[in-house]
Amino acid sequence: MSDQRPQRVRVTGPPRYSSGPRNRLGDVHEQTPLGDVFLRSLLKEQLALAFRVLVLIALTLGLLPLVFHLWPDLGDVRVAGIPVAWVVLGGLVYPFLLLVGWRYVRSVERNERDFADLVEGPDPGQSS
Amino acid sequence: MNADAVPGLVAVLAVTVTTIAIGTWGLRFSRTTSDFFVASRTVNPRLNASAIGGEYLSAASFLGVAGLLLVGGAEMLWYPVGWTAGYLVLLVLVAAPLRRSGAYTLPDFAEARLGSTVVRSACSLLVVGVGWLYLLPQFQGAGLTLESAIGAPRWVGPLIVGVVVLVNVMSGGMRSITFVQAFQYWLKLTALLVPAMVLLVVWLDDGRPGSPSGSDGAWSVPVAGEGAIGLYTTYSLIIALFLGTMGLPHVVVRFYTNPDGRAARRTTLVVLGLLGLFYVWPPVFAALGRVYGRELVAEGHADVLVLELPRLMMSGLGGELLTGLVTAGAFAAFLSTASGLAIAVSGVITQDVTSRFVGERGPTASVAAAFRLAAVIAVSVPVLVALLSTNIGVARSVALAFAVAASTFCPLLMLGIWWRRLTDAGALAGLAAGGLGAGGAAVLNLVGVEGSGWGAALLAQPAAWSMPLAFATMVLVSLATPSRAPSHARRFLVRLHTPEVLEQAG
């Protein structure tokens, strides 16, 4: 790395002017109908996201006991000399859970940013 | 006492001294009441995640899982998987909103959300109940460990762990405990990982012998036994573990030490990684135990597999050193989990009981005094029970605590956070239904009642019926009492779900 690295320059677009109220956070805190709509939409979206994660877990991990119950012969299947149940539940499941969690955090933070943009209105000073 | 006891004794002493030293060092940072209870909410996600991992990986994880796997095979893999997946459920449903609620304990959350002191008291009762149910096996396990490692009588372990925990909790509160527990996570991981790797090498040198008992059979099928009962038992365990995590008192308290909801989520994510890193090792011990440790199963000592395996596989200095290391890890497991639970239970007892004696809302000194008094109560009761009662198996009794948490606090948190029509009457009815159902089953288990067939299965693994029962009761009674919905519910939900970006801007 050379020390002649150019200084970071902040690039901003032309100022945009909004016609509505600059900050609608007040609407969310005061119980106006508009604030109600905002909160409902955020709640619905976050809940749907959480629900998707839970369904994914239910359809993968949750089905394993049933699968092994219906086809007990799977117990004899081996991967690299190790029974398949041990490979899946003893090892692979942990990176899988971490990956699901990581993707969830990314999505939920994106939702919150969108909500913030919506509530604050177009405001060049607050954009990230 | 013979020479076999030396490595274990040294290990126990070293862990005890280090724990007290770090706790005392942390004391220098512990000046205010806020430090005492919540480490002033300034713990960064990585340190906090290590502390959560250190606190969460109890004796059941360190000793219990390997023993269960050795005896029960793949169906027992659901324990570590459930304990980890519980954090994912916690992450997606509870983590950030719970932090934003500003509640320090579950009773705090219930009171803030529902504005009812009756619900608060019910929650306090449940926290103390779940906490003690979870503390009990820690103390019993400590007795087991010291017996196996240094040949001490059974009562020595609970007493030592009880005293060390009490000293640490009373002296430094949450701030110093955070450092202690973060250290103990890494100690536990090392104490499991290093021996596992060494023993794997020994096994390879040995020519990779297989299990003497031959075919795998049920050992590689992750379902408990045959038929519908086995399937029910497995699913009930999964429900208890996946949903119970969010309702454990010591887990919730930790979330409040995060600076904000976003940090709470990141902390949870790091915890997921740390738990996964830890839980891949107990199966290794179990697999090696199947080759080298058959006599442990025959003698019914599978619980101490992790402690005994190094000596069974290696003779001489190597075996002794590894024995010392795993003993240190096991002892750290008792200390950290017991400390976390003691803090959580003491916090609740302080707020609801002892602060009334010492003078509520008094200066820092008297709050700390109330906290210390509460800590004595929180620790001494389960120690006494551990000394007097018989051992029912570390992981089994922890699973019961999870079942009670899943049937009480899980519906309360989920509905409280996501459903604005929850009422105090509904919450109370649901807590009663789930608490009496799962808690009753737990008590019957503890006193040794056993049925047969379906009765036994429903009693041993209550979560699959008690959790839906609690949920349904909460929803139906809330719908029947719409006029009791607190007027601030909407505003409260706004606070729970409003991103921090806005809080700072607004």
Side-chain angles (χ1 to χ4, degrees):
Chain A
M1 283 287 141
S2 68
D3 48 1
Q4 294 156 348
R5 205 166 160 176
Q7 252 202 336
R8 196 173 282 244
V9 178
R10 177 175 297 213
V11 180
T12 50
R16 289 167 293 168
Y17 299 100
S18 64
S19 49
R22 240 202 79 227
N23 189 331
R24 297 186 198 121
L25 186 60
D27 281 319
V28 179
H29 279 303
E30 313 303 323
Q31 310 204 352
T32 65
L34 185 62
D36 216 50
V37 172
F38 281 151
L39 179 72
R40 263 174 208 277
S41 78
L42 178 69
L43 261 180
K44 223 169 85 181
E45 212 153 302
Q46 304 287 59
L47 195 58
L49 188 61
F51 205 69
R52 278 206 295 277
V53 172
L54 296 181
V55 168
L56 176 68
I57 296 297
L59 288 182
T60 48
L61 286 180
L63 283 183
L64 277 183
L66 193 63
V67 168
F68 274 90
H69 177 71
L70 295 177
W71 295 281
D73 292 345
L74 278 175
D76 298 328
V77 178
R78 285 167 167 264
V79 180
I82 307 169
V84 65
W86 286 74
V87 173
V88 173
L89 287 176
L92 294 181
V93 62
Y94 300 109
F96 170 69
L97 289 173
L98 187 62
L99 183 74
V100 172
W102 179 67
R103 297 216 25 185
Y104 165 80
V105 169
R106 270 198 352 181
S107 311
V108 84
E109 289 190 347
R110 196 173 51 232
N111 276 356
E112 291 188 342
R113 267 200 307 279
D114 291 350
F115 178 73
D117 288 346
L118 177 75
V119 169
E120 289 185 321
D123 179 10
Q126 289 290 329
S127 63
S128 45
Chain B
M1 190 171 290
N2 51 30
D4 271 4
V6 174
L9 200 61
V10 172
V12 169
L13 272 178
V15 172
T16 307
V17 170
T18 320
T19 300
I20 293 181
I22 297 179
T24 318
W25 174 71
L27 190 58
R28 298 193 316 186
F29 303 96
S30 218
R31 300 234 164 73
T32 63
T33 312
S34 171
D35 274 338
F36 222 80
F37 286 108
V38 294
S40 294
R41 285 171 242 167
T42 51
V43 184
N44 78 44
R46 263 173 312 173
L47 176 63
N48 212 11
S50 296
I52 292 181
E55 171 166 47
Y56 190 62
L57 295 172
S58 66
S61 300
F62 196 89
L63 296 178
V65 168
L68 282 175
L69 286 169
L70 175 62
V71 178
E75 67 170 278
M76 298 301 173
L77 283 169
W78 287 111
Y79 279 96
V81 170
W83 285 326
T84 314
Y87 265 94
L88 186 65
V89 178
L90 181 97
L91 171 69
V92 303
L93 287 173
V94 177
L98 184 64
R99 172 60 195 92
R100 289 178 190 138
S101 77
Y104 169 54
T105 60
L106 284 160
D108 281 349
F109 174 82
E111 191 182 14
R113 170 68 178 81
L114 296 163
S116 155
T117 49
V118 183
V119 179
R120 186 201 168 89
S121 307
C123 286
S124 302
L125 212 63
L126 278 168
V127 165
V128 175
V130 173
W132 280 347
L133 200 55
Y134 207 133
L135 273 168
L136 183 61
Q138 309 302 327
F139 291 132
Q140 287 178 336
L144 211 66
T145 302
L146 288 196
E147 190 183 40
S148 159
I150 62 175
R154 275 280 168 92
W155 54 267
V156 175
L159 223 56
I160 295 183
V161 173
V163 168
V164 175
V165 166
L166 210 51
V167 167
N168 253 341
V169 171
M170 282 167 65
S171 63
M174 196 60 151
R175 170 77 93 180
S176 74
I177 276 297
T178 301
F179 292 118
V180 171
Q181 284 173 337
F183 158 74
Q184 277 165 346
Y185 169 79
W186 294 104
L187 174 62
K188 275 183 271 192
L189 182 63
T190 315
L192 210 54
L193 190 148
V194 173
M197 292 207 171
V198 173
L199 296 180
L200 273 178
V201 171
V202 172
W203 174 72
L204 286 175
D205 273 356
D206 237 11
R208 306 174 57 186
S211 159
S213 65
S215 109
D216 293 323
W219 205 66
S220 49
V221 176
V223 186
E226 300 281 307
I229 293 183
L231 203 59
Y232 164 84
T233 306
T234 309
Y235 273 114
S236 195
L237 177 70
I238 291 175
I239 288 174
L241 299 178
F242 278 41
L243 297 177
T245 305
M246 72 171 78
L248 293 180
H250 59 310
V251 171
V252 175
V253 168
R254 273 266 154 232
F255 272 82
Y256 196 47
T257 56
N258 285 301
D260 57 30
R262 198 159 167 266
R265 274 198 207 111
R266 302 195 159 220
T267 301
T268 317
L269 199 58
V270 182
V271 172
L272 268 179
L274 293 179
L275 293 182
L277 199 60
F278 181 88
Y279 280 134
V280 291
W281 299 107
V284 173
F285 275 90
L288 291 173
R290 226 164 107 79
V291 181
Y292 296 96
R294 298 303 289 186
E295 58 268 40
L296 283 179
V297 183
E299 291 164 16
H301 285 153
D303 253 359
V304 292
L305 166 71
V306 173
L307 299 172
E308 298 286 347
L309 194 61
R311 272 199 194 126
L312 288 174
M313 290 181 65
M314 292 170 75
S315 52
L317 186 64
E320 298 299 313
L321 283 178
L322 291 186
T323 302
L325 194 55
V326 287
T327 310
F331 210 66
F334 303 125
L335 285 183
S336 55
T337 303
S339 304
L341 284 160
I343 290 243
V345 175
S346 317
V348 169
I349 299 182
T350 308
Q351 289 179 331
D352 290 326
V353 185
T354 52
S355 62
R356 302 206 179 126
F357 299 127
V358 187
E360 210 170 358
R361 305 265 174 270
T364 305
S366 74
V367 175
F371 184 79
R372 287 177 177 137
L373 179 60
V376 173
I377 301 172
V379 174
S380 54
V381 171
V383 167
L384 282 177
V385 177
L387 292 177
L388 297 176
S389 74
T390 51
N391 198 346
I392 74 157
V394 172
R396 279 271 317 278
S397 119
V398 165
L400 286 173
F402 272 84
V404 176
S407 312
T408 51
F409 292 126
C410 164
L412 180 71
L413 281 170
M414 276 170 69
L415 294 173
I417 287 172
W418 297 102
W419 194 51
R420 79 173 75 164
R421 285 152 80 185
L422 180 70
T423 67
D424 55 349
L428 207 57
L431 288 178
L436 291 178
V443 169
L444 289 179
N445 272 297
L446 281 178
V447 297
V449 174
E450 278 179 27
S452 59
W454 272 105
L458 292 172
L459 199 63
Q461 293 292 352
W465 57 267
S466 60
M467 191 276 296
L469 177 73
F471 252 105
T473 314
M474 249 182 225
V475 170
L476 290 179
V477 176
S478 292
L479 287 178
T481 55
S483 60
R484 298 186 65 90
S487 55
H488 68 278
R490 206 189 150 284
R491 184 173 280 270
F492 195 73
L493 285 199
V494 169
R495 194 166 97 207
L496 296 191
H497 297 281
T498 309
E500 278 78 22
V501 217
L502 287 179
E503 292 296 326
Q504 284 149 18

